[in-house]
Amino acid sequence: KQEVTQIPAALSVPEGENLVLNCSFTDSAIYNLQWFRQDPGKGLTSLLLIQSSQREQTSGRLNASLDKSSGRSTLYIAASQPGDSATYLCAAGSYNQGGKLIFGQGTELSVKP
Amino acid sequence: DVKVTQSSRYLVKRTGEKVFLECVQDMDHENMFWYRQDPGLGLRLIYFSYDVKMKEKGDIPEGYSVSREKKERFSLILESASTNQTSMYLCASSDAYEQYFGPGTRLTVT
């Protein structure tokens, strides 16, 4: 059964820092890995999607990488800003789970001015 | 832009009431999903649908049912609302790869 873990659960950094959020998954038979952002009380916003044949995706200050062999994905945020404060979730689309997304618990990021 | 809308942002219902949560997507996606999100438990899949009139149970279907009469609309039904169904409910739709979420409905059952 696919399990997705995100460490740390919470992170606080000063504005301007580059940071990395980690996501690990137990079953490497995934067809994609998706990163989301969630603001308090709101829905999830898709940030980046990495398909299984890809190694990374970039959007602006965000870069996500995928290493299926080690069961890891990272989300790199460059030059963090207070507006980046939110909860970041990763989710693995697993062939062995009937195509459903399996979510991690999220990392709550706080960027201090 | 993909648009997934949910009928209400906030809803307050009484125990025992029948509750309908509506979700509509405008991208002609085959797949639609209902999740609930609770502190410390993360997102949990309630039901999903891969086609019109098709439905599949997720991880926590007890106390819920769904309806998908049209491709763009997926409804979640609480047959007899209970206080333990107080939660944030999130709808999503997807093409083959990427899921898109609605804004969520915060349901309180008193």
Side-chain angles (χ1 to χ4, degrees):
Chain A
K1 182 182 175 184
Q2 177 74 278
E3 293 182 3
V4 178
T5 305
Q6 292 185 248
I7 295 173
L11 182 63
S12 182
V13 300
E15 181 177 4
E17 263 202 17
N18 302 324
L19 59 101
V20 174
L21 305 181
N22 296 297
C23 173
S24 61
F25 47 94
T26 55
D27 183 358
S28 61
I30 63 169
Y31 59 86
N32 68 12
L33 195 293
Q34 196 168 353
W35 282 93
F36 296 90
R37 169 188 173 135
Q38 186 176 31
D39 294 291
K42 301 289 179 63
L44 278 66
T45 299
S46 179
L47 296 174
L48 289 165
L49 171 73
I50 312 175
Q51 297 187 25
S52 62
S53 58
Q54 299 171 326
R55 296 282 299 202
E56 65 178 332
Q57 285 287 335
T58 298
S59 176
R61 294 182 294 109
L62 305 180
N63 175 276
S65 67
L66 175 64
D67 184 344
K68 289 197 301 178
S69 62
S70 67
R72 291 184 182 183
S73 176
T74 61
L75 179 66
Y76 174 83
I77 303 177
S80 58
Q81 302 170 357
D84 294 330
S85 298
T87 296
Y88 291 80
L89 296 104
C90 69
S94 178
Y95 287 112
N96 296 328
Q97 294 286 319
K100 296 177 288 186
L101 281 185
I102 308 301
F103 284 83
Q105 293 280 337
T107 294
E108 186 176 356
L109 173 65
S110 176
V111 181
K112 305 293 188 185
Chain B
D1 273 357
V2 176
K3 191 88 172 188
V4 180
T5 57
Q6 295 184 229
S7 50
S8 305
R9 289 285 286 120
Y10 300 95
L11 208 53
V12 180
K13 295 292 182 180
R14 292 185 182 269
T15 301
E17 279 194 76
K18 192 169 185 175
V19 181
F20 293 85
L21 302 182
E22 304 284 338
C23 176
V24 178
Q25 51 98 0
D26 67 356
M27 286 305 294
D28 202 34
H29 286 164
E30 300 286 342
N31 311 317
M32 296 189 75
F33 307 82
W34 274 107
Y35 299 86
R36 64 177 283 177
Q37 185 177 34
D38 301 285
L41 297 176
L43 271 85
R44 292 180 291 169
L45 182 64
I46 305 171
Y47 267 97
F48 59 104
S49 169
Y50 286 145
D51 201 353
V52 175
K53 296 196 185 291
M54 289 185 64
K55 60 186 179 184
E56 298 281 346
K57 292 180 180 179
D59 300 318
I60 51 163
E62 296 78 19
Y64 302 94
S65 63
V66 290
S67 172
R68 191 155 181 214
E69 296 295 321
K70 292 185 178 181
K71 191 175 188 179
E72 67 270 19
R73 188 181 298 268
F74 192 34
S75 302
L76 180 69
I77 304 157
L78 286 67
E79 298 290 344
S80 178
S82 63
T83 55
N84 63 13
Q85 292 178 310
T86 291
S87 186
M88 169 70 98
Y89 288 88
L90 294 163
C91 173
S93 73
S94 77
D95 54 18
Y97 300 104
E98 189 166 3
Q99 280 199 20
Y100 301 89
F101 279 78
T105 296
R106 171 72 64 184
L107 173 67
T108 302
V109 183
T110 61

